[in-house]
Amino acid sequence: QVQLVESGGGLVQSGGSLRLSCAASGSIFSIGAMGWYRQAPGKERELVATITSAGRPNYADSVKGRFTISRDNAKNTVYLQMNSLKPEDTAVYYCNAAVWARDSSGYLEVWGQGTLVTVSS
């Protein structure tokens, strides 16, 4: 019953910026690592960035220096600030989290439905 809901996707020109948000809701005891993945047309889903519960980030080489992942544990929310966007960043972006639901006995992997980011030339 725990859900992740992404927002902030849309159409942006090359060189522009977008900020994605992903909020977890439901009966949550704890949230561990969170992350962002993306899937471009005709390609496999790939990791974009992850962040530990303590706020330690990790990035794919393709976005390093351009994207910033952050989280607000009080709001059960993870963010992805995307700057200097390129057409090759066009993809559906998915939020991911390890969530310990209140009525469960451990962490489970939860995925959001995705939000489309389109970067035009």
Side-chain angles (χ1 to χ4, degrees), residues 74-113:
K75 297 181 179 179
N76 291 333
T77 300
V78 63
Y79 307 93
L80 186 67
Q81 178 66 47
M82 304 184 294
N83 299 325
S84 301
L85 283 163
K86 306 174 181 178
E88 49 263 45
D89 294 318
T90 295
V92 176
Y93 284 71
Y94 297 91
C95 177
N96 170 268
V99 180
W100 193 328
R102 196 174 300 275
D103 294 334
S104 68
S105 59
Y107 286 101
L108 295 176
E109 189 176 43
V110 182
W111 290 87
Q113 294 185 1

Side-chain angles (χ1 to χ4, degrees), residues 18-89:
L18 283 174
R19 187 184 187 229
L20 305 183
S21 299
C22 172
S25 63
S27 184
I28 299 171
F29 175 75
S30 179
I31 300 179
M34 306 182 80
W36 290 94
Y37 294 72
R38 67 186 182 187
Q39 188 166 23
K43 292 191 174 183
E44 300 293 325
R45 187 175 299 186
E46 64 175 353
L47 185 147
V48 177
T50 60
I51 186 167
T52 70
S53 60
R56 184 176 298 107
N58 188 31
Y59 300 95
D61 289 340
S62 59
V63 307
K64 196 171 299 181
R66 299 188 298 121
F67 292 8
T68 302
I69 189 170
S70 61
R71 65 190 290 166
D72 186 337
N73 290 335
K75 297 181 179 179
N76 291 333
T77 300
V78 63
Y79 307 93
L80 186 67
Q81 178 66 47
M82 304 184 294
N83 299 325
S84 301
L85 283 163
K86 306 174 181 178
E88 49 263 45
D89 294 318

